[in-house]
């Protein structure tokens, strides 16, 4: 089962990463100024991950595929790693869809 890991950045901001059952990060967030905003981002991922059209499939300048997950307002709430192939990116999207809704929250900011 997947989990959201909440941590602090060096600048004091909060961030989350969604990890699959094997511990691999499948989605990372931007920095948030408050923990409450970060937790709202987690809830937004849980909700929006079930809508395929919220996944923006992209290609980096180096040609590697990746994706963003967007909220209903169009704001990016999570970004994937760079993948070696489009098929790998699609597997990453499926992993987010599968892991996000029931993922636990591991708060490591304490």
């Amino acid at each position: 089962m997947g989990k959201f890991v909440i941590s602090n950045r060096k600048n004091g901001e909060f961030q989350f990463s969604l990890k699959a059952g094997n511990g691999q990060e499948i989605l990372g967030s931007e920095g948030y100024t408050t923990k409450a905003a970060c937790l709202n981002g987690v809830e937004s991922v849980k909700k929006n991950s079930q809508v395929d059209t919220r996944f923006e499939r992209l290609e980096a300048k180096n040609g590697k595929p990746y994706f963003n997950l967007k909220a209903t307002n169009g704001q990016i709430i999570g970004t994937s790693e760079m993948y070696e192939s489009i098929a790998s990116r699609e597997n990453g999207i499926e992993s987010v869809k599968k892991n996000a809704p029931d993922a636990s929250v591991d708060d490591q900011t304490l």
Side-chain angles (χ1 to χ4, degrees):
M1 178 179 282
K3 69 178 176 178
F4 288 95
V5 177
I6 298 176
S7 59
N8 291 106
R9 292 185 168 189
K10 287 185 174 130
N11 64 3
E13 289 184 334
F14 297 89
Q15 66 184 14
F16 66 80
S17 62
L18 174 60
K19 299 193 179 223
N22 64 5
Q24 182 179 359
E25 181 175 321
I26 49 180
L27 192 71
S29 78
E30 63 181 3
Y32 295 92
T33 55
T34 66
K35 190 186 289 189
C38 186
L39 290 169
N40 284 341
V42 167
E43 290 306 312
S44 185
V45 169
K46 288 183 175 193
K47 183 174 64 176
N48 288 291
S49 65
Q50 300 309 290
V51 182
D52 188 69
T53 55
R54 302 270 160 75
F55 288 92
E56 181 181 35
R57 292 157 170 90
L58 300 163
E59 187 176 290
K61 288 179 182 167
N62 64 4
K64 295 196 183 252
Y66 72 102
F67 64 86
N68 287 327
L69 176 60
K70 292 188 168 187
T72 47
N73 65 3
Q75 182 178 356
I76 296 170
I77 48 179
T79 302
S80 74
E81 65 179 353
M82 299 295 162
Y83 292 97
E84 293 301 319
S85 68
I86 290 173
S88 296
R89 178 184 64 197
E90 292 305 310
N91 287 339
I93 289 171
E94 290 306 311
S95 185
V96 171
K97 289 178 181 177
K98 180 179 135 202
N99 285 284
D102 301 316
S104 60
V105 176
D106 179 6
D107 186 347
Q108 297 185 351
T109 63
L110 307 175

